[in-house]
Amino acid sequence: MNRIGVLLVWGGISALGAAAFGVLALSRGETINAAWLLTAAVCTYAVGYRFYSRFLASSVFGLDDRRATPAERFNNGRDFVPTNRWVLYGHHFAAIAGAGPLVGPVLAAQFGFLPGTLWLVIGVVLGGAVQDFTILFCSLRRDGKSLGQMAKEEINQSAGITGMLAVLFIMIILLAVLALIVVNALKASPWGLFTITCTIPIALLMGWWMKRWRPGKVGEASSVGAVLLLGALVAGGWVAAQPQLAPVFTHSATALTWMMVAYGFVASVLPVWMLLCPRDYLSTFLKITTIVVLALAILVILPPLKMPALTPFARLGEGPVFAGKLFPFAFITIACGAISGFHALVASGTTPKMIARESDARLIGYGGMLMESFVGVMAMIAACTLDPGVYFAMNTTPAGLAQASQVLSQAGFVVTPDVMHQLATQMGEQTLIARSGGAPSLAVGMAQIFAGVTSALGGRTLTALWYHFAIMFEALFILTTIDTGTRVGRFMLQEIVGHVWPRFGETSWYPSVLASSALIVAGWGYFLYQGVVDPLGGINSLWPLFGISNQLLAAVALCVGTTILIKMGRARFAWVTLTPLAWLVIVTMTAGWQKVFSPDPRLGFLAHAASLAGSSNPDAARLIFNDRLNTFVALLFMTVVAVLIVTSLREWWLVLSRRKPALVHEAPFVESAYATGD
Amino acid sequence: MRRETERETGKGKGETWVRRALRAARRVLGAPDYDAYLEHCRVAGHEPGMSEREYVAQFFEAKGKGLRCC
C-alpha cells in the first residue's frame, strides 16, 4: 500500500475510534449499544499497536533479529524451544489471562461503564502492555532470567530479596481473593458445586491417561475431559432437582472455605501430573474457546448497555460493591486488563525462553496484553447489560445494600424481590442476592448474551445451562491458579527457609513439602476465612488489597525496566516506563493510605476497628484483629515498594551522574542463524 | 544452519492443514511435544537422552513450577 493509502487507512481508524469515544462521552442517560465500546477499544488498540509498540520496539529497545535469543542459544527441545510467534502468542495469552480481567471490570461497573472502560483501554496502551513488553525484552536479553534475578543484578541484592518477599505476600492475598470468588459463586448452589466437584475425578482420569496410559497425549485426554465436563454440567442440573441429592451439594460459604483449604493443600502435595497439569490443560482449552465464543456472541447480538456511563457512586464514593471514590479505587479494582504486576512474572518466566526472534516480543508482549484488555472490555459489557438494580442486588452484601439503599433508589437502581427470585429460577439457582465477587453477575450477563444467540439461531435459550457453564468456566481456571499459586508459593517458601536450613530447601523432602504447603495454605486460608465471616469484609476488603498489591508489583517491574533502560544509555526514553510507574505509585499509595487511615469505617481498616471497640458483638475481638492484620499487610506492601523505589532512584542518580558505571548484565551478542538465512 | 520453529524446519510440509492446526493447538495448550525433542536431537547431532515417558515426566514437572496469572 502506498503512503497515501496508509495515511488514509490509519486516519480512518483513528477518526472512527475518536467518534466512538465521542458517543460514549457525550451520552446523557440514553441507552448506548455495546458496539461503541468495542469500536473505541479496538481502534485504540490498533493505533497503539501500530505506532506506539513500533516506537518501543525500534527506538526504545532496539530489537535486533540478528541477535540470537535464549531459545535459539540454549535450545534443548523442552523449555528452551524456538516457537512460532502466533503459537507463542496463544500460549502467553493463556498464561496471563485469568479471572482478573473478568472480575475486576465487573466490580468497577459500580461506577458506570465509562471509567472502567477508559482505564482498560488507555491504561493498557500506555501502561500494561508497555510493562509486559519491557520485562519480556529485558528477560530476553538476559537468558530468560526472572524478575527477582533481574532486580538483584540490575538494582542490588536487597532489591532482589525485597522483590521476592513482595511476590510471596502478594500471592497469598491473590489466592485468598480468588478462592473467595469461587466460594461466593458456589455457596448454596448444588448445580455449581456438583459440576466443579466432578472436575477433580475428571482431572485425575486425564492425568492417568496422559502420564501412564498414553504418555504425552494431551489432546486426547483434554478432549475426553471436555466431553466429561459437559456431561457433568448437564448432570448438575439433574442433581440440583433431586430432593435427596441436592442437599449433599448445598453448603454454606464457611463450609466451602474449609473445602477450599483442604483442596489447596492436597493439590499442592500431590504429584504435578495427577491434578495440576490436567486441570491446567482443561482450563486453558475452556478459557480460549469460551473467550472466542463470547467475543463472537457479543459481535452477533451487540447488546445495549443498561448501566449508565456514570453512576452516583463515581462522585460520592460509598459504593455498595466496594467502598471508595472513583479515584483511586477504579484504578486498583481493574488491575489485570489494564496493568498487572503478575504479568511481569510470566513475561520473565516461560515466554522469553520460547521466542525465536527478538522482533516477535512485540506481538507477544505488547499484543498479548492488548488481547487481555479486550477480554476486560467484554466482561465490562457483560456486566453492564444487566439491569443496574439486579447488578447491585447481586454484588452487595445485605449490610452494604442497606447502607446504600437511599442512593440506589434515587438513581432508580431498584429491583423487587420477585424479579430477583424469577431471575434466580431462570438461572437454576435458589437465590442470586448477595452473590458478591463478580463471578455470578458476569455469569448472568454471559448467560443472557449466549441465550440471546441461541434464541437468534432458533434454538432453546438454555439460560440455566449457560449460567452454570459460565460459573464452571470461571471456577475452573481460578482453581488452576490456586493449584499453581500454592505450589509456586511453597517452592518460594522452601527456597527462603532453605537459606538458613538447607534441608528444608530440598523440594522433594516430604516433611518440607507438607510443612511449606500447610503454611502457604494457612496464609491464604486465613484471609479467605475472614473475608467470608466479616459482614463488611470479603470483596470489600480483600479485592482492594489484592489490587494494591498487584499494582505495586507492577511498580517493582517498572522500576527494574527503567533501571535497565537508563543503564542501556536510553535515559531519554525512560519516560515510557516512568509515566506508568508515577501513575501507579500515586494511585496505589493513595488507595493504600485511604484503606488504612480513612475515617469511614467501610473504607478504613483502623476506623472499622475503632467502630467495633466496646461493641457487644461477640465477634468484635476477632474482627478488630482482622482489621489490624489488614492494616499491617497494606502498610507492609507500601513500605516494601517505597524501599524499592528509593533504592532504584539512588541507582538511577548514581548512573546518570556518572558516579557509578552503567553496567548492564545483558547476555553477550551471538549472531542468530535465523537472521543469516533471511 | 539451524531452523527449528515450525515454519522454518518445514515440518509442516506434506502434512494436512488439520494436522498442522492440531500441532499448533498442542503448543498453545503447552502440551509436551516429543517429536520436536527428537527433531532437536537430530538437528543438534546427538542421540535423544530421554525416552518418551521420561520426557513427558520432566515436562510436567517443569510445568508445575510455572505461574498462571490472576
Side-chain angles (χ1 to χ4, degrees):
Chain A
M1 200 185 295
N2 62 30
R3 194 174 168 78
I4 295 173
V6 170
L7 275 172
L8 283 174
V9 167
W10 286 103
I13 291 172
S14 306
L16 184 63
F21 273 121
V23 171
L24 294 175
L26 296 174
S27 71
R28 290 290 179 273
E30 64 271 32
T31 303
I32 294 282
N33 195 285
W36 293 110
L37 232 66
L38 287 176
T39 308
V42 171
C43 291
T44 311
Y45 299 151
V47 171
Y49 184 79
R50 171 64 177 76
F51 296 100
Y52 194 45
S53 76
R54 190 182 189 189
F55 161 74
L56 294 173
S58 57
S59 302
V60 180
F61 303 143
L63 297 184
D64 183 0
D65 278 346
R66 290 170 306 155
R67 180 190 279 263
T69 61
E72 185 181 351
R73 283 185 293 122
F74 305 122
N75 186 351
N76 58 8
R78 293 197 310 275
D79 38 359
F80 287 90
V81 184
T83 304
N84 176 285
R85 64 183 180 152
W86 289 105
V87 170
L88 189 52
Y89 177 84
H91 187 267
H92 179 75
F93 172 72
I96 62 171
L102 295 171
V103 173
V106 173
L107 299 177
Q110 84 158 344
F111 295 126
F113 67 78
L114 195 58
T117 305
L118 289 178
W119 170 231
L120 277 166
V121 173
I122 298 169
V124 74
V125 168
L126 299 177
V130 176
Q131 178 214 241
D132 290 15
F133 189 12
T134 304
I135 295 301
L136 183 57
F137 159 75
C138 293
S139 182
L140 196 57
R141 286 276 174 99
R142 283 160 185 76
D143 299 339
K145 281 184 180 153
S146 69
L147 180 68
Q149 286 172 308
M150 290 192 289
K152 196 164 78 179
E153 286 182 2
E154 302 292 348
I155 304 177
N156 61 32
Q157 179 88 12
S158 66
I161 295 167
T162 312
M164 196 171 174
L165 284 173
V167 171
L168 186 62
F169 291 134
I170 289 164
M171 206 174 285
I172 285 173
I173 295 295
L174 162 78
L175 296 176
V177 79
L178 291 181
L180 183 62
I181 293 168
V182 176
V183 165
N184 281 347
L186 298 183
K187 66 181 177 190
S189 172
W191 189 336
L193 185 59
F194 174 80
T195 311
I196 294 303
T197 306
C198 285
T199 64
I200 297 172
I202 291 171
L204 291 171
L205 172 70
M206 284 174 63
W208 170 78
W209 186 304
M210 59 196 196
K211 174 75 170 30
R212 297 271 188 233
W213 190 39
R214 289 175 61 76
K217 301 296 180 194
V218 170
E220 284 176 13
S222 299
S223 305
V224 170
V227 170
L228 290 174
L229 204 58
L230 292 177
L233 179 68
V234 175
W238 179 80
V239 167
Q242 303 305 309
Q244 295 83 18
L245 282 175
V248 178
F249 294 97
T250 306
H251 292 283
S252 67
T254 314
L256 287 170
T257 299
W258 291 113
M259 289 181 202
M260 287 291 296
V261 166
Y263 169 80
F265 178 78
V266 171
S268 175
V269 298
L270 278 181
V272 70
W273 60 267
M274 216 178 248
L275 193 60
L276 189 149
C277 278
R279 190 187 274 287
D280 187 42
Y281 289 126
L282 207 52
S283 77
T284 305
F285 181 71
L286 200 65
K287 188 191 309 182
I288 292 176
T289 311
T290 308
I291 285 171
V292 170
V293 172
L294 179 63
L296 291 175
I298 287 176
L299 285 174
V300 168
I301 63 169
L302 292 173
L305 305 178
K306 294 180 184 162
M307 187 73 80
L310 287 169
T311 67
F313 303 114
R315 185 170 45 84
L316 299 172
E318 301 172 1
V321 181
F322 57 89
K325 291 187 178 172
L326 177 69
F327 179 86
F329 287 95
F331 306 100
I332 58 157
T333 302
I334 299 179
C336 299
I339 181 164
S340 164
F342 243 77
H343 292 193
L345 305 181
V346 179
S348 60
T350 323
T351 308
K353 298 178 179 117
M354 297 169 75
I355 289 185
R357 292 185 178 82
E358 279 205 348
S359 59
D360 293 354
R362 180 184 168 202
L363 173 76
I364 295 155
Y366 198 94
M369 184 58 198
L370 291 183
M371 183 53 81
E372 189 185 75
S373 175
F374 185 64
V375 172
V377 171
M378 288 195 296
M380 178 65 83
I381 290 172
C384 292
T385 56
L386 295 180
D387 183 89
V390 170
Y391 168 85
F392 284 105
M394 286 188 72
N395 281 290
T396 311
T397 60
L401 205 58
Q403 282 185 356
S405 59
Q406 196 182 350
V407 181
L408 286 170
S409 58
Q410 277 173 359
F413 300 160
V414 285
V415 64
T416 62
D418 281 350
V419 170
M420 288 307 293
H421 180 71
Q422 208 176 353
L423 184 68
T425 309
Q426 200 185 358
M427 299 295 157
E429 288 289 287
Q430 292 162 7
T431 179
L432 286 174
I433 295 171
R435 285 295 180 93
S436 59
S441 43
L442 176 66
V444 172
M446 282 171 68
Q448 288 178 344
I449 290 169
F450 288 152
V453 173
T454 46
S455 296
L457 294 174
R460 291 168 54 199
T461 54
L462 303 170
T463 313
L465 200 64
W466 283 127
Y467 172 82
H468 286 94
F469 175 81
I471 289 288
M472 178 187 74
F473 150 76
E474 294 171 77
L476 195 59
F477 61 73
I478 287 177
L479 289 175
T480 306
T481 307
I482 289 173
D483 292 354
T484 52
T486 306
R487 188 174 285 263
V488 170
R490 185 247 280 183
F491 289 141
M492 289 172 78
L493 190 63
Q494 285 180 300
E495 190 185 333
I496 291 167
V497 179
H499 287 298
V500 286
W501 180 17
R503 189 80 204 271
F504 197 86
E506 291 173 18
T507 52
S508 55
W509 189 45
Y510 228 66
S512 160
V513 170
L514 294 175
S516 52
S517 298
L519 281 170
I520 295 293
V521 170
W524 64 254
Y526 183 79
F527 283 98
L528 168 63
Y529 183 76
Q530 63 146 296
V532 165
V533 296
D534 182 351
L536 280 179
I539 289 298
N540 184 46
S541 296
L542 286 182
W543 190 270
L545 264 186
F546 158 62
I548 291 169
S549 60
N550 196 0
Q551 304 282 41
L552 287 176
L553 186 56
V556 173
L558 288 166
C559 275
V560 173
T562 307
T563 308
I564 289 172
L565 284 181
I566 290 173
K567 287 186 169 182
M568 283 172 72
R570 308 277 166 93
R572 66 187 182 285
F573 295 122
W575 57 267
V576 300
T577 46
L578 278 175
T579 309
L581 173 61
W583 173 251
L584 285 185
V585 170
I586 292 167
V587 164
T588 48
M589 291 297 180
T590 310
W593 186 266
Q594 289 188 9
K595 282 306 292 179
V596 174
F597 297 111
S598 167
D600 176 0
R602 277 203 71 226
L603 184 57
F605 295 131
L606 293 178
H608 186 239
S611 73
L612 289 166
S615 155
S616 57
N617 183 343
D619 294 327
R622 185 170 44 78
L623 295 176
I624 290 172
F625 172 77
N626 289 342
D627 281 323
R628 288 181 180 156
L629 180 65
N630 290 345
T631 299
F632 171 75
V633 170
L635 290 177
L636 180 73
F637 287 151
M638 291 160 73
T639 308
V640 161
V641 174
V643 166
L644 202 76
I645 288 170
V646 170
T647 314
S648 301
L649 281 169
R650 182 175 171 273
E651 187 76 8
W652 302 343
W653 166 249
L654 289 174
V655 171
L656 289 172
S657 61
R658 297 177 191 277
R659 287 179 169 84
K660 187 177 176 182
L663 282 178
V664 281
H665 294 75
E666 267 190 12
F669 180 92
V670 174
E671 186 153 16
S672 168
Y674 301 144
T676 51
D678 289 337
Chain B
M1 190 176 305
R2 296 189 300 119
R3 294 189 159 270
E4 292 186 50
T5 68
E6 283 90 342
R7 196 173 54 181
E8 285 84 356
T9 51
K11 269 162 77 175
K13 284 179 184 169
E15 286 185 330
T16 63
W17 68 269
V18 178
R19 274 186 164 279
R20 285 204 296 268
L22 285 175
R23 185 191 297 280
R26 272 209 309 271
R27 282 287 183 86
V28 170
L29 276 175
D33 189 347
Y34 189 62
D35 287 346
Y37 172 68
L38 293 179
E39 174 71 8
H40 157 73
C41 294
R42 190 188 63 74
V43 173
H46 61 74
E47 286 296 307
M50 288 180 282
S51 67
E52 186 166 11
R53 274 185 190 277
E54 289 165 338
Y55 173 84
V56 168
Q58 271 204 18
F59 189 94
F60 286 155
E61 207 53 47
K63 196 171 171 64
K65 290 176 182 159
L67 259 178
R68 281 283 178 268
C69 187
C70 41

